């Protein structure tokens, strides 16, 4: 097939995203005449004996042609529409000459560290492309991206993460801002080198590999300064009895977090789904799972398709958790500064934490919210347990991402067929938390039932102008035209149970000023505040957000 005719649903990745994956430990940008958002569709190795050709959208790895010897490949890449070329340099003078040639050819130029291995770069770039979601060019990694998962795990553990396959080949790793934090073993692993034999022998002697082969529990490995090795945690990535790989977390300049082991267990379960998909090439299967899950949540699809597809017992209890968030905020109690967040970072955090608690959990994003389906729950589980799981996630989001994440616990339902009811309840809670000024980060319906019901009554009033009192509408109009505060005064008075002094203190006015404003409001509107029904209606209607 002509690569120029790639299907619009084919996987692709932006150069910027690829550079984030590879990191400056492997490559450095020398020239990018078309910017960093060019689209990469394929990765190829160009042998010195091959004719210098390329395909549109290719990342061309030029093997065995250092410096000026790479000029023909660079010109051919520009001529044929390649996205970028990777070469090894012998000196800074060559970098300048090649950069000038790349600018003339209109193709990006990346330089590879001289000690790095080409097959390792090819494998990492290929993995990043395979992980990229199909569709629009330049789309970032989604929740299935191993590199994004590695970064999330690094945040949750305060460590430096590498994900390897069963042959100990690095598949993905987290980014570090301080190169001194990474020990010699990590640097060698990322560059495709074999780890120090003395250390590997120690791992065999201590039974680390045997443990990883036979158990899904986290194992700790002490630091060995004499070998240049820092403390580590490791956990096997498993599918049934089969080990698919390993996640390693190296301690950096700060100690690993207290809940590192729990985060690692969740990350291993999420990574297993990803590696099974890659091994069996089940991208269509993953898409089907998401489609069936979305249909079940909104009630458009019954429970049996998803249950059959994933082997779930549709008659066991289930529940839905909901999460919503806004822009990152600064917290006085936050342990770290809020980073620039993406949907995948938040979804990964939720996925890792909930996978550690419930193996069958499914996570999906329906903008702007994230939902967790908990199928096949134990029959004795209660809402308090689910509230605790949800609280762990919101606490982690605040602690590690600086993110004000709100969580809701939908009702426990007897089976998958009632999941839409649980999702609706989770949404009702999140709606109320957003509009009613609820201060808690996590809630189930019994916790804030009054706020939920009032929020829904206000939504009804907002959508039905004909059931509002026109006198109160006129009061708001008067305030708007005259920069008045009569409506605010009236609502504060009513919220204070008619306590003049309390309402005046809240408004920072004299009690006599408040009494005057109340009389003025009654005169302008004809309201009679001695009548309970008029007070009740005013309390509700004046809580509506301003319009116009």
């Amino acid at each position: 097939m002509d690569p120029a005719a790639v299907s619009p649903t084919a996987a692709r990745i932006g150069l910027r995203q690829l550079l984030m994956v590879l990191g400056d430990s492997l490559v450095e940008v020398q020239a990018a005449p078309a910017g960093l958002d060019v689209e990469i569709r394929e990765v190829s190795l160009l042998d010195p004996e091959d004719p210098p050709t390329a395909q549109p959208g290719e990342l061309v790895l030029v093997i065995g042609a250092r410096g000026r010897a790479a000029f023909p490949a660079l010109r051919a890449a520009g001529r044929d529409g390649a996205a970028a070329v990777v070469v090894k340099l012998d000196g800074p003078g060559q970098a300048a000459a090649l950069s000038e040639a790349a600018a003339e050819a209109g193709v990006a130029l990346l330089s590879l560290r001289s000690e790095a291995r080409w097959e390792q770069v090819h494998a990492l770039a290929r993995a990043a492309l395979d992980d990229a979601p199909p569709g629009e060019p330049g789309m970032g990694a989604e929740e299935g991206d191993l590199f994004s998962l590695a970064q999330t795990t690094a945040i949750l553990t305060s460590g430096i993460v590498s994900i390897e396959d069963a042959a100990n080949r690095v598949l993905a790793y987290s980014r570090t801002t301080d190169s001194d934090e990474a020990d010699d073993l990590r640097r060698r692993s990322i560059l495709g080198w074999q780890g120090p034999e003395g250390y590997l022998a120690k791992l065999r002697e201590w039974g680390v590999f045997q443990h990883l082969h036979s158990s899904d529990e986290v194992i700790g490995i002490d630091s060995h300064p004499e070998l240049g090795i820092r403390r580590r945690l490791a956990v096997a990535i498993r599918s049934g009895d089969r080990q698919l790989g390993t996640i390693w977390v190296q301690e950096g300049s700060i100690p690993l977090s207290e809940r590192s082991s729990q985060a690692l267990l969740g990350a291993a379960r999420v990574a297993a789904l990803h590696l099974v998909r890659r091994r069996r090439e089940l991208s269509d299967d993953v898409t089907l799972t998401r489609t069936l899950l979305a249909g079940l949540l909104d009630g458009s699809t019954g429970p049996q398709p998803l249950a059959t597809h994933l082997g779930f017992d549709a008659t066991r209890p289930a529940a839905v958790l909901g999460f919503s968030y806004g822009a990152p905020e600064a917290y006085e109690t936050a342990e770290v500064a809020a980073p620039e967040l993406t949907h995948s970072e938040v979804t990964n955090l939720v996925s890792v934490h909930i996978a550690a608690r419930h193996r069958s959990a499914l996570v999906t994003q329906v903008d702007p919210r994230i939902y967790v389906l908990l199928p096949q729950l134990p029959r004795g589980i209660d809402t308090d347990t689910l509230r605790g799981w949800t609280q762990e996630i919101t606490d982690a989001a605040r602690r590690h991402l600086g993110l004000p994440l709100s969580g809701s616990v939908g009702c426990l339902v007897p089976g998958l067929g009632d999941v839409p009811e649980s999702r609706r309840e989770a949404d009702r809670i999140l709606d109320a938390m957003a509009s009613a000024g609820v201060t808690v980060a996590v809630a189930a319906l019994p916790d804030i039932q009054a706020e939920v019901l009032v929020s829904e009554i206000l939504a009804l009033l907002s959508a039905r102008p004909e059931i509002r009192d026109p006198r109160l509408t006129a009061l708001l109009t008067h305030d708007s035209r005259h920069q008045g505060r009569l409506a605010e005064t009236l609502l504060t008075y009513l919220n204070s149970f008619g306590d003049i002094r309390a309402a005046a203190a809240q408004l920072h006015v004299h009690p006599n000023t408040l009494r005057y404003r109340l009389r003025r409001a009654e005169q302008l509107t004809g309201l009679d505040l001695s009548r309970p029904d008029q007070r009740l209606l005013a309390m509700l209607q004046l809580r509506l957000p301003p319009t116009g």
Side-chain angles (χ1 to χ4, degrees), residues 18 117 173 203 208 273 295 404 414 438 502 535 539:
L18 180 66
R117 293 171 55 183
Y173 50 88
L203 294 182
V208 172
L273 297 175
V438 177
R535 294 198 304 271
M539 284 190 71

Side-chain angles (χ1 to χ4, degrees), residues 262-320:
Q262 180 180 326
L264 267 185
L265 287 175
R269 292 172 183 175
V270 175
L273 297 175
H274 179 92
L275 294 182
V276 166
R277 183 192 75 177
R278 177 185 291 180
R279 179 168 295 201
R280 298 178 183 172
E281 301 180 347
L282 293 180
S283 57
D284 292 340
D285 181 84
V286 172
T287 300
L288 176 60
T289 298
R290 291 177 182 162
T291 301
L292 295 176
L293 175 57
L296 178 61
L297 289 173
D298 65 23
S300 62
T301 303
Q304 204 54 51
L306 183 65
T308 302
H309 178 56
L310 296 178
F312 289 162
D313 183 349
T315 65
R316 287 177 57 181
V320 173

